[in-house]
Coordinates of all heavy atoms in Angstrom, one line a residue:
M90 N -61.3 -22.7 -4.6 CA -61.4 -21.7 -3.6 C -60.5 -22.0 -2.4 O -60.3 -23.1 -2.1 CB -62.9 -21.7 -3.1 CG -63.0 -20.6 -2.0 SD -64.7 -20.6 -1.2 CE -65.6 -20.0 -2.6
T91 N -59.9 -21.0 -1.9 CA -59.0 -21.1 -0.7 C -59.4 -20.0 0.3 O -60.1 -19.1 0.0 CB -57.5 -20.9 -1.1 OG1 -57.4 -19.7 -1.8 CG2 -57.1 -22.0 -2.0
A92 N -59.0 -20.2 1.5 CA -59.3 -19.2 2.6 C -58.1 -19.0 3.4 O -57.3 -19.9 3.7 CB -60.5 -19.8 3.4
W93 N -57.9 -17.8 3.9 CA -56.9 -17.4 4.8 C -57.5 -16.6 5.9 O -58.6 -16.2 5.9 CB -55.9 -16.5 4.0 CG -55.0 -17.3 3.1 CD1 -53.8 -17.9 3.4 CD2 -55.2 -17.5 1.7 NE1 -53.3 -18.5 2.2 CE2 -54.1 -18.2 1.2 CE3 -56.2 -17.1 0.8 CZ2 -54.0 -18.6 -0.1 CZ3 -56.1 -17.5 -0.5 CH2 -55.0 -18.3 -1.0
T94 N -56.6 -16.3 6.9 CA -57.1 -15.6 8.1 C -57.3 -14.1 7.8 O -58.0 -13.4 8.5 CB -56.1 -15.7 9.3 OG1 -54.8 -15.3 8.8 CG2 -56.1 -17.2 9.7
G95 N -56.6 -13.6 6.8 CA -56.8 -12.2 6.4 C -56.3 -11.9 5.0 O -55.7 -12.7 4.3
T96 N -56.7 -10.7 4.6 CA -56.4 -10.3 3.2 C -54.9 -10.3 2.9 O -54.4 -10.8 1.9 CB -56.9 -8.9 2.9 OG1 -58.3 -8.9 3.3 CG2 -56.7 -8.5 1.5
Q97 N -54.1 -9.7 3.8 CA -52.6 -9.7 3.6 C -52.0 -11.1 3.5 O -51.1 -11.3 2.8 CB -52.0 -8.8 4.7 CG -52.3 -7.3 4.6 CD -52.1 -6.8 3.2 OE1 -51.0 -6.9 2.6 NE2 -53.1 -6.1 2.7
E98 N -52.5 -12.0 4.4 CA -52.0 -13.4 4.3 C -52.4 -14.0 3.0 O -51.5 -14.7 2.4 CB -52.6 -14.2 5.5 CG -52.1 -13.8 6.9 CD -52.8 -12.5 7.4 OE1 -53.7 -12.0 6.8 OE2 -52.4 -12.1 8.5
A99 N -53.5 -13.7 2.5 CA -53.9 -14.3 1.2 C -53.0 -13.8 0.1 O -52.5 -14.5 -0.7 CB -55.4 -14.0 0.9
L100 N -52.8 -12.5 0.1 CA -52.0 -11.9 -1.0 C -50.5 -12.4 -0.9 O -49.9 -12.7 -1.9 CB -52.0 -10.3 -0.9 CG -53.4 -9.7 -1.1 CD1 -53.4 -8.2 -0.9 CD2 -53.9 -10.0 -2.5
A101 N -50.0 -12.5 0.3 CA -48.7 -13.0 0.5 C -48.6 -14.5 0.0 O -47.6 -14.9 -0.7 CB -48.2 -12.9 1.9
A102 N -49.5 -15.3 0.4 CA -49.5 -16.7 0.0 C -49.6 -16.8 -1.5 O -48.9 -17.7 -2.2 CB -50.7 -17.4 0.7
V103 N -50.5 -16.1 -2.2 CA -50.7 -16.2 -3.6 C -49.4 -15.7 -4.3 O -48.9 -16.3 -5.3 CB -51.9 -15.4 -4.1 CG1 -51.9 -15.2 -5.6 CG2 -53.2 -16.1 -3.6
G104 N -48.8 -14.6 -3.8 CA -47.6 -14.0 -4.4 C -46.4 -15.0 -4.5 O -45.6 -14.9 -5.4
R105 N -46.3 -15.9 -3.5 CA -45.2 -16.7 -3.5 C -45.5 -18.2 -3.9 O -44.7 -19.1 -3.8 CB -44.6 -16.8 -2.1 CG -45.4 -17.4 -1.0 CD -44.8 -17.4 0.3 NE -45.7 -17.9 1.3 CZ -46.4 -17.2 2.2 NH1 -46.2 -15.9 2.2 NH2 -47.2 -17.8 3.0
N106 N -46.7 -18.3 -4.5 CA -47.1 -19.7 -4.9 C -46.8 -19.9 -6.4 O -47.3 -19.2 -7.3 CB -48.6 -19.8 -4.7 CG -49.1 -21.2 -5.0 OD1 -49.2 -21.5 -6.2 ND2 -49.5 -21.9 -4.0
R107 N -45.9 -20.8 -6.7 CA -45.5 -21.1 -8.1 C -46.6 -21.5 -9.0 O -46.7 -21.0 -10.1 CB -44.4 -22.1 -8.1 CG -43.7 -22.1 -9.5 CD -42.5 -23.1 -9.5 NE -43.1 -24.4 -9.9 CZ -42.5 -25.6 -9.7 NH1 -41.3 -25.6 -9.2 NH2 -43.1 -26.7 -10.1
A108 N -47.5 -22.4 -8.5 CA -48.6 -22.8 -9.3 C -49.5 -21.6 -9.7 O -50.0 -21.5 -10.8 CB -49.4 -23.9 -8.6
H109 N -49.7 -20.7 -8.8 CA -50.5 -19.5 -9.1 C -49.9 -18.7 -10.1 O -50.5 -18.2 -11.1 CB -50.8 -18.8 -7.8 CG -51.6 -17.5 -8.0 ND1 -52.9 -17.4 -8.2 CD2 -51.1 -16.2 -8.1 CE1 -53.3 -16.2 -8.4 NE2 -52.2 -15.4 -8.4
T110 N -48.6 -18.4 -9.9 CA -47.8 -17.6 -10.8 C -47.8 -18.2 -12.2 O -48.0 -17.5 -13.2 CB -46.4 -17.4 -10.3 OG1 -46.4 -16.9 -9.0 CG2 -45.6 -16.5 -11.2
E111 N -47.6 -19.5 -12.3 CA -47.6 -20.2 -13.6 C -49.0 -20.1 -14.3 O -49.1 -19.9 -15.5 CB -47.1 -21.6 -13.5 CG -45.6 -21.7 -13.2 CD -45.1 -23.1 -12.9 OE1 -46.0 -24.0 -12.9 OE2 -43.9 -23.2 -12.6
G112 N -50.0 -20.3 -13.5 CA -51.4 -20.3 -14.0 C -51.7 -18.9 -14.5 O -52.3 -18.8 -15.6
M113 N -51.3 -17.9 -13.8 CA -51.6 -16.5 -14.2 C -50.9 -16.2 -15.5 O -51.4 -15.5 -16.4 CB -51.2 -15.5 -13.1 CG -52.2 -15.5 -11.9 SD -53.9 -15.1 -12.4 CE -53.7 -13.5 -13.1
S114 N -49.7 -16.7 -15.6 CA -48.9 -16.5 -16.9 C -49.6 -17.1 -18.1 O -49.7 -16.5 -19.1 CB -47.5 -17.1 -16.8 OG -46.8 -16.4 -15.8
R115 N -50.2 -18.3 -17.8 CA -50.9 -19.0 -18.9 C -52.2 -18.2 -19.3 O -52.5 -18.0 -20.5 CB -51.3 -20.4 -18.5 CG -50.1 -21.4 -18.4 CD -50.5 -22.7 -18.1 NE -51.4 -23.3 -19.0 CZ -52.3 -24.3 -18.8 NH1 -52.3 -24.8 -17.6 NH2 -53.0 -24.8 -19.7
V116 N -52.9 -17.7 -18.3 CA -54.1 -16.9 -18.6 C -53.8 -15.6 -19.3 O -54.4 -15.3 -20.3 CB -54.9 -16.6 -17.2 CG1 -56.0 -15.6 -17.5 CG2 -55.4 -17.9 -16.7
L117 N -52.8 -15.0 -18.8 CA -52.4 -13.7 -19.4 C -51.8 -13.8 -20.7 O -51.9 -12.8 -21.5 CB -51.5 -12.9 -18.4 CG -52.1 -12.5 -17.1 CD1 -51.1 -11.9 -16.1 CD2 -53.3 -11.5 -17.3
S118 N -51.2 -14.9 -21.1 CA -50.6 -15.1 -22.4 C -51.7 -15.4 -23.4 O -51.4 -15.4 -24.6 CB -49.6 -16.2 -22.4 OG -50.2 -17.5 -22.2
G119 N -52.9 -15.7 -23.0 CA -54.0 -16.0 -23.9 C -54.0 -17.5 -24.2 O -54.8 -17.9 -25.1
A120 N -53.2 -18.3 -23.6 CA -53.2 -19.7 -23.9 C -54.3 -20.5 -23.2 O -54.4 -21.7 -23.4 CB -51.8 -20.3 -23.5
M121 N -55.0 -19.8 -22.3 CA -56.0 -20.6 -21.5 C -57.3 -19.7 -21.4 O -57.3 -18.6 -20.9 CB -55.4 -20.8 -20.1 CG -56.2 -21.6 -19.2 SD -55.3 -22.0 -17.7 CE -56.6 -22.1 -16.6
G122 N -58.4 -20.3 -21.9 CA -59.7 -19.7 -21.7 C -59.9 -18.5 -22.6 O -59.0 -18.0 -23.2
S123 N -61.2 -18.0 -22.7 CA -61.5 -16.8 -23.5 C -61.8 -15.6 -22.6 O -61.9 -14.5 -23.0 CB -62.7 -17.1 -24.4 OG -63.8 -17.5 -23.6
N124 N -61.9 -15.9 -21.3 CA -62.2 -14.8 -20.3 C -61.8 -15.3 -18.9 O -61.7 -16.5 -18.7 CB -63.6 -14.3 -20.4 CG -63.9 -13.0 -19.8 OD1 -63.0 -12.4 -19.2 ND2 -65.1 -12.5 -19.9
G125 N -61.7 -14.4 -18.0 CA -61.4 -14.8 -16.7 C -61.4 -13.6 -15.7 O -61.4 -12.5 -16.1
V126 N -61.3 -14.0 -14.4 CA -61.2 -12.9 -13.4 C -60.6 -13.6 -12.2 O -60.8 -14.8 -11.9 CB -62.6 -12.4 -13.1 CG1 -63.5 -13.4 -12.4 CG2 -62.5 -11.2 -12.1
T127 N -59.8 -12.8 -11.5 CA -59.3 -13.2 -10.2 C -59.8 -12.2 -9.2 O -59.9 -11.0 -9.5 CB -57.7 -13.3 -10.2 OG1 -57.2 -12.0 -10.4 CG2 -57.2 -14.3 -11.2
T128 N -60.0 -12.7 -8.0 CA -60.5 -11.8 -7.0 C -60.0 -12.2 -5.6 O -59.6 -13.3 -5.4 CB -62.1 -11.8 -6.9 OG1 -62.5 -13.1 -6.6 CG2 -62.7 -11.3 -8.2
V129 N -60.1 -11.3 -4.7 CA -59.9 -11.6 -3.3 C -61.2 -11.1 -2.6 O -61.5 -9.9 -2.6 CB -58.7 -10.8 -2.7 CG1 -58.6 -11.1 -1.2 CG2 -57.4 -11.3 -3.3
W130 N -62.0 -12.0 -2.1 CA -63.2 -11.6 -1.5 C -63.0 -11.5 0.0 O -62.4 -12.3 0.7 CB -64.3 -12.7 -1.7 CG -64.7 -12.7 -3.1 CD1 -64.2 -12.1 -4.2 CD2 -65.8 -13.5 -3.6 NE1 -64.9 -12.4 -5.4 CE2 -65.9 -13.3 -5.0 CE3 -66.7 -14.3 -3.1 CZ2 -66.8 -13.9 -5.8 CZ3 -67.7 -14.9 -3.9 CH2 -67.7 -14.7 -5.2
V131 N -63.6 -10.4 0.6 CA -63.5 -10.2 2.0 C -65.0 -10.3 2.6 O -65.9 -9.6 2.0 CB -62.9 -8.8 2.3 CG1 -62.9 -8.5 3.8 CG2 -61.5 -8.7 1.7
P132 N -65.2 -11.0 3.6 CA -66.6 -11.1 4.2 C -67.1 -9.8 4.6 O -66.4 -9.0 5.2 CB -66.4 -12.1 5.4 CG -65.1 -12.7 5.2 CD -64.2 -11.8 4.4
Y133 N -68.3 -9.5 4.3 CA -69.0 -8.3 4.8 C -69.5 -8.5 6.2 O -69.3 -7.7 7.1 CB -70.2 -8.0 3.9 CG -71.0 -6.9 4.4 CD1 -70.6 -5.6 4.3 CD2 -72.3 -7.2 4.8 CE1 -71.4 -4.6 4.8 CE2 -73.1 -6.1 5.3 CZ -72.7 -4.8 5.2 OH -73.5 -3.8 5.7
R134 N -70.0 -9.7 6.5 CA -70.5 -10.0 7.8 C -70.5 -11.5 8.0 O -71.0 -12.2 7.1 CB -71.9 -9.5 8.0 CG -72.5 -9.8 9.4 CD -73.8 -9.3 9.6 NE -74.8 -10.0 8.8 CZ -76.0 -9.6 8.5 NH1 -76.4 -8.4 8.9 NH2 -76.8 -10.3 7.8
I135 N -69.9 -12.0 9.0 CA -69.9 -13.4 9.3 C -70.8 -13.6 10.5 O -70.6 -13.2 11.6 CB -68.5 -13.9 9.7 CG1 -67.5 -13.7 8.5 CG2 -68.5 -15.4 10.1 CD1 -66.1 -14.0 8.8
N136 N -71.9 -14.3 10.2 CA -72.9 -14.6 11.2 C -72.5 -15.7 12.1 O -71.6 -16.5 11.8 CB -74.3 -14.9 10.6 CG -74.8 -13.7 9.9 OD1 -74.6 -12.6 10.3 ND2 -75.6 -14.0 8.8
D137 N -73.2 -15.9 13.2 CA -73.0 -17.0 14.1 C -73.2 -18.3 13.4 O -74.1 -18.4 12.5 CB -73.9 -16.9 15.3 CG -73.7 -15.7 16.2 OD1 -72.7 -15.0 16.0 OD2 -74.6 -15.5 17.1
Q138 N -72.5 -19.3 13.7 CA -72.8 -20.7 13.3 C -73.9 -21.2 14.2 O -74.0 -20.8 15.3 CB -71.6 -21.6 13.3 CG -70.5 -21.3 12.2 CD -69.5 -22.3 12.2 OE1 -69.5 -23.4 12.8 NE2 -68.4 -22.0 11.4
L139 N -74.6 -22.2 13.7 CA -75.6 -22.9 14.4 C -75.5 -24.4 14.4 O -76.3 -25.1 13.8 CB -77.0 -22.5 13.9 CG -77.4 -21.0 14.1 CD1 -78.6 -20.6 13.3 CD2 -77.5 -20.7 15.6
P140 N -74.4 -24.9 14.9 CA -74.2 -26.3 14.9 C -75.2 -27.1 15.8 O -75.7 -26.5 16.8 CB -72.8 -26.5 15.4 CG -72.5 -25.3 16.2 CD -73.3 -24.2 15.6
R141 N -75.5 -28.3 15.4 CA -76.4 -29.1 16.2 C -75.6 -29.8 17.3 O -74.6 -30.4 17.1 CB -77.1 -30.1 15.3 CG -78.2 -30.9 16.0 CD -79.0 -31.8 15.0 NE -79.5 -31.1 13.9 CZ -80.6 -30.4 13.9 NH1 -81.4 -30.3 15.0 NH2 -81.1 -29.9 12.8
C142 N -76.2 -29.8 18.5 CA -75.6 -30.5 19.6 C -75.8 -32.0 19.4 O -76.9 -32.5 19.2 CB -76.2 -30.1 21.0 SG -75.7 -31.0 22.4
A143 N -74.7 -32.7 19.5 CA -74.7 -34.2 19.3 C -75.4 -34.9 20.5 O -76.0 -36.0 20.3 CB -73.3 -34.8 19.1
A144 N -75.4 -34.3 21.6 CA -76.0 -34.9 22.8 C -77.6 -34.8 22.8 O -78.2 -35.7 23.2 CB -75.4 -34.3 24.1
C145 N -78.1 -33.6 22.4 CA -79.6 -33.4 22.5 C -80.2 -33.0 21.2 O -81.4 -33.0 21.1 CB -79.9 -32.4 23.6 SG -79.4 -30.7 23.1
G146 N -79.5 -32.7 20.2 CA -80.0 -32.4 18.9 C -80.4 -30.9 18.7 O -80.9 -30.5 17.6
R147 N -80.3 -30.1 19.7 CA -80.7 -28.7 19.6 C -79.6 -27.9 18.8 O -78.4 -28.3 18.9 CB -80.8 -28.0 21.0 CG -82.1 -28.2 21.7 CD -82.1 -27.5 23.0 NE -81.9 -28.5 24.0 CZ -81.8 -28.3 25.3 NH1 -81.9 -27.1 25.8 NH2 -81.7 -29.3 26.1
K148 N -80.0 -26.9 18.2 CA -79.1 -25.9 17.5 C -78.5 -25.0 18.6 O -79.3 -24.5 19.5 CB -79.8 -25.1 16.5 CG -80.3 -25.9 15.3 CD -79.2 -26.2 14.4 CE -79.7 -26.8 13.1 NZ -78.9 -26.7 12.0
V149 N -77.2 -24.8 18.6 CA -76.5 -24.0 19.6 C -75.9 -22.8 18.8 O -75.2 -23.0 17.8 CB -75.5 -24.8 20.3 CG1 -74.7 -23.9 21.3 CG2 -76.1 -26.0 21.0
R150 N -76.1 -21.6 19.3 CA -75.5 -20.4 18.7 C -74.1 -20.3 19.1 O -73.7 -20.4 20.2 CB -76.2 -19.1 19.2 CG -75.8 -17.9 18.5 CD -76.7 -16.7 18.9 NE -78.0 -16.9 18.3 CZ -78.4 -16.6 17.1 NH1 -77.5 -16.1 16.2 NH2 -79.7 -16.8 16.7
L151 N -73.2 -20.3 18.1 CA -71.8 -20.2 18.2 C -71.3 -18.9 17.6 O -71.3 -18.8 16.4 CB -71.2 -21.4 17.5 CG -69.7 -21.6 17.6 CD1 -69.2 -21.9 19.0 CD2 -69.2 -22.7 16.6
P152 N -70.9 -18.0 18.4 CA -70.5 -16.7 17.9 C -69.4 -16.8 16.9 O -68.5 -17.6 17.1 CB -70.1 -15.9 19.1 CG -70.8 -16.6 20.2 CD -70.9 -18.0 19.9
A153 N -69.4 -15.9 15.9 CA -68.3 -15.9 14.9 C -67.0 -15.8 15.6 O -66.8 -14.9 16.4 CB -68.5 -14.8 13.9
G154 N -66.0 -16.6 15.3 CA -64.7 -16.5 15.8 C -64.5 -17.4 17.0 O -63.4 -17.7 17.4
A155 N -65.6 -17.9 17.6 CA -65.5 -18.8 18.8 C -65.2 -20.2 18.3 O -65.7 -20.6 17.2 CB -66.8 -18.8 19.6
A156 N -64.4 -20.9 19.0 CA -64.1 -22.3 18.6 C -65.1 -23.3 19.1 O -65.4 -24.3 18.5 CB -62.7 -22.7 19.2
T157 N -65.7 -23.0 20.3 CA -66.7 -23.9 20.9 C -67.7 -23.1 21.6 O -67.5 -21.9 21.9 CB -66.0 -24.9 21.9 OG1 -65.5 -24.2 23.0 CG2 -65.0 -25.8 21.2
A158 N -68.9 -23.8 21.9 CA -69.9 -23.2 22.7 C -70.6 -24.3 23.5 O -70.6 -25.5 23.0 CB -70.9 -22.5 21.8
D159 N -71.1 -24.0 24.6 CA -71.8 -24.9 25.5 C -73.3 -24.9 25.2 O -73.9 -23.9 25.0 CB -71.6 -24.6 26.9 CG -70.1 -24.7 27.3 OD1 -69.4 -25.6 26.7 OD2 -69.7 -24.0 28.2
C160 N -73.8 -26.1 25.2 CA -75.3 -26.3 25.0 C -75.9 -26.3 26.4 O -75.3 -26.6 27.4 CB -75.6 -27.6 24.3 SG -77.3 -27.9 24.0
A161 N -77.2 -25.9 26.4 CA -78.0 -25.9 27.7 C -78.0 -27.3 28.3 O -78.2 -27.4 29.5 CB -79.4 -25.4 27.4
C162 N -77.9 -28.3 27.5 CA -77.9 -29.7 28.1 C -76.6 -30.1 28.7 O -76.6 -31.2 29.4 CB -78.3 -30.7 27.0 SG -77.0 -31.2 25.9
G163 N -75.6 -29.3 28.6 CA -74.3 -29.7 29.1 C -73.3 -30.2 28.0 O -72.2 -30.3 28.3
G164 N -73.9 -30.4 26.9 CA -73.0 -30.8 25.7 C -72.2 -29.6 25.2 O -72.3 -28.5 25.7
S165 N -71.5 -29.9 24.2 CA -70.6 -28.8 23.6 C -70.7 -29.0 22.1 O -70.8 -30.1 21.6 CB -69.2 -29.0 24.1 OG -68.4 -28.0 23.6
V166 N -70.5 -27.9 21.4 CA -70.4 -27.9 19.9 C -69.1 -27.2 19.5 O -68.6 -26.4 20.3 CB -71.6 -27.2 19.3 CG1 -72.9 -27.9 19.5 CG2 -71.7 -25.7 19.7
A167 N -68.6 -27.5 18.4 CA -67.4 -26.9 17.9 C -67.6 -26.2 16.5 O -68.5 -26.7 15.7 CB -66.3 -28.0 17.8
A168 N -66.9 -25.2 16.3 CA -67.0 -24.5 15.0 C -66.5 -25.4 13.9 O -65.6 -26.3 14.1 CB -66.1 -23.2 15.0
T169 N -67.1 -25.2 12.7 CA -66.7 -26.0 11.5 C -66.3 -24.9 10.5 O -66.5 -23.7 10.6 CB -67.7 -26.9 11.0 OG1 -68.9 -26.2 10.7 CG2 -68.1 -28.0 12.1
S170 N -65.9 -25.4 9.3 CA -65.5 -24.5 8.3 C -66.7 -23.7 7.8 O -67.8 -24.2 7.8 CB -65.0 -25.4 7.1 OG -64.8 -24.5 6.0
Y171 N -66.5 -22.5 7.4 CA -67.5 -21.6 6.9 C -67.7 -21.8 5.4 O -68.6 -21.3 4.8 CB -67.2 -20.1 7.1 CG -67.4 -19.7 8.6 CD1 -66.5 -19.9 9.6 CD2 -68.6 -19.1 8.9 CE1 -66.7 -19.5 10.8 CE2 -68.9 -18.7 10.2 CZ -67.9 -18.9 11.2 OH -68.1 -18.5 12.5
I172 N -66.8 -22.6 4.8 CA -66.9 -22.8 3.4 C -67.5 -24.2 3.1 O -67.2 -25.1 3.7 CB -65.5 -22.7 2.7 CG1 -65.0 -21.3 3.0 CG2 -65.6 -23.0 1.2 CD1 -63.5 -21.1 2.5
Ligands
ZN395 ZN1 -77.4 -30.2 23.8

């Protein structure tokens, strides 16, 4: 699984990736596997993250797209990977 910032970025990256092109050739030639599928998934809704504050242990609501959020105790939390 891989992730990009947007659909067009994903399509551009895959299109110019030699390993992907060679893998698709193998799949399409019938030399690999008996079935398969490729997809580009787009999130329907990305909810807030709820990282735990290292200072006090509380969960802190971190809005989708935000890099950091402040905790009521004065601590701070940072976004992590959604995958
Ligand atoms: Zn805290």
Side-chain angles (χ1 to χ4, degrees):
M90 178 184 293
T91 54
W93 286 274
T94 56
T96 306
Q97 292 308 310
E98 290 80 4
L100 295 174
V103 168
R105 65 177 177 260
N106 182 289
R107 193 177 88 194
H109 175 79
T110 303
E111 290 174 358
M113 286 302 299
S114 292
R115 289 181 62 204
V116 169
L117 295 173
S118 72
M121 184 174 152
S123 59
N124 196 353
V126 65
T127 63
T128 61
V129 175
W130 292 9
V131 178
Y133 172 72
R134 180 179 68 200
I135 299 175
N136 292 331
D137 296 349
Q138 287 190 8
L139 295 167
R141 187 176 304 280
C142 174
C145 72
R147 276 182 259 179
K148 295 281 189 156
V149 178
R150 187 169 293 278
L151 181 67
T157 63
D159 295 329
C160 179
C162 79
S165 180
V166 295
T169 60
S170 172
Y171 282 85
I172 300 174

